[in-house]
Amino acid sequence: MKRIALAFALATAFSVQAAEFTQVQADKSAINFTYKQMGVAVDGKFKRFSSQLTFDPAKPAAAKASFDVELASVDTGAPEGDDEVAGKPWFNTKAFPTAKFVSTSVKALGGNKYEVTGQLSIKGKTQDVVVPATFAAQGKSGVFDGSFTIRRADFSIGEGTWAKFDIVANDVLIKFRITANSK
């Protein structure tokens, strides 16, 4: 009887470890950003994005992720700010409706920490980015948290008179929390 109980316990533990997280829960996920305007931190978020994700904690190198963020869903906290940022000098959402991230590799760093390398495309410009992230399994769900900094000039975000960094800083911190269910 003890062997059966031990075998069951090991099988249960293995099945939790072997879970593959693939179904992103948009209502429990968020993509936020912080930038400085005249030296003051300003927070915002994107309300709509779609994603494809495959992540097995037992095989992190095989993980894949892609995210399409609807840039017109930007929420700066003020409707006039949203309209301004969606306009041509900033995101130019009519010509470039989405930003896209596609992972190219995932490296386990130990302690539920990972380094996700990929390509970020905004306004027709693509840059390689390295994104530090953590993962925490919570039953049949898993939560990915991370942040990374981009330079808005690399993507022509803020053109014309907004191309300078005296009013709006060049660095933008992107923060995310992605919740996904296992199969």
Side-chain angles (χ1 to χ4, degrees), residues 1-182:
M1 187 66 169
K2 286 182 181 179
R3 285 186 179 175
I4 293 172
L6 179 60
F8 179 74
L10 288 173
T12 302
F14 179 73
S15 69
V16 170
Q17 287 294 327
E20 185 174 55
F21 298 88
T22 59
Q23 300 164 348
V24 173
Q25 298 176 330
D27 62 328
K28 295 181 180 176
S29 300
I31 298 176
N32 301 313
F33 58 89
T34 302
Y35 63 96
K36 288 193 176 179
Q37 185 169 330
M38 297 190 309
V40 177
V42 179
D43 295 321
K45 64 182 176 183
F46 293 99
K47 297 184 275 187
R48 290 185 304 277
F49 65 91
S50 59
S51 59
Q52 293 182 343
L53 174 69
T54 302
F55 179 77
D56 180 344
K59 303 174 194 169
K64 293 185 186 320
S66 68
F67 292 87
D68 290 302
V69 178
E70 292 182 35
L71 295 174
S73 76
V74 67
D75 182 352
T76 62
E80 61 275 1
D82 300 348
D83 292 342
E84 174 69 27
V85 174
K88 191 172 181 182
W90 295 97
F91 286 137
N92 192 5
T93 60
K94 288 183 181 176
F96 304 100
T98 59
K100 184 173 192 76
F101 172 81
V102 177
S103 68
T104 55
S105 70
V106 177
K107 179 180 172 185
L109 301 176
N112 294 326
K113 294 180 182 178
Y114 300 88
E115 184 177 87
V116 181
T117 302
Q119 293 192 318
L120 178 63
S121 299
I122 304 173
K123 289 183 74 176
K125 299 185 184 303
T126 300
Q127 295 281 323
D128 291 326
V129 295
V130 177
V131 181
T134 60
F135 172 77
Q138 299 175 351
K140 290 193 177 240
S141 293
V143 178
F144 302 85
D145 283 301
S147 65
F148 61 102
T149 299
I150 65 168
R151 295 181 162 277
R152 64 183 182 87
D154 292 344
F155 299 97
S156 299
I157 301 170
E159 296 180 44
T161 58
W162 293 108
K164 297 183 203 170
F165 310 119
D166 54 343
I167 296 175
V168 178
N170 194 23
D171 290 350
V172 179
L173 178 66
I174 310 294
K175 300 174 279 189
F176 61 89
R177 170 167 273 206
I178 305 298
T179 301
N181 287 338
S182 62

